[in-house]
Amino acid sequence: MIAINSIEQAAHVTSLTKDTIRYYEKIGLLGILFLTRLKATGMTIEEMKRYRELSSHGNDAIPEKMSMLEMHKQNIQNEISRLMEVQKIIEYKLDHYHEIIQDPDFNDTGCTPTL
């Protein structure tokens, strides 16, 4: 575990600005490392605040915290799937351009992906 003794160290470790860390502290967000990871996955500040609020309720809030994380996990999986489809399209276009460069067909006026 990393010992963080100053806001400068926290900023360096988390790749957040000092102002962002101060803002999170001001609005009651603690657990910067975990919250930074949630932020990196696209969780909103409102969701992070709710998660933090639930944390103050102890074990009674575990089912709701789990539900929140499961829903966020599903959102992340959906985004990964969407990005993989975009990646396939980009790979197709790159392959097509490599083919044109290697063997130009001046009569080819378009391309239709077969994904």
Side-chain angles (χ1 to χ4, degrees), residues 4-6 11 39 47 63 68-69 72 82 97 106 109:
I4 298 175
N5 299 315
S6 69
K39 180 180 182 267
E47 290 168 323
M68 204 176 161
L69 290 174
H72 191 63
R82 186 189 69 77
Y97 293 145
F106 298 109
T109 59

Side-chain angles (χ1 to χ4, degrees), residues 2-4 7-16 21 33 36-37:
I2 300 170
I4 298 175
I7 195 165
E8 288 82 10
Q9 288 175 332
H12 177 73
V13 168
T14 62
S15 299
L16 296 172
I21 293 170
L33 291 176
T36 299
R37 287 178 176 94

Side-chain angles (χ1 to χ4, degrees), residues 49-80:
K49 283 174 70 172
R50 177 68 182 141
Y51 186 87
R52 174 62 186 108
E53 179 187 322
L54 290 170
S55 294
S56 68
H57 295 241
N59 289 346
D60 292 340
I62 288 176
E64 191 172 348
K65 286 169 49 177
M66 287 177 64
S67 175
M68 204 176 161
L69 290 174
E70 287 291 338
M71 188 168 25
H72 191 63
K73 178 183 170 185
Q74 185 59 51
N75 291 341
I76 291 168
Q77 187 57 53
N78 292 343
E79 182 67 8
I80 289 169

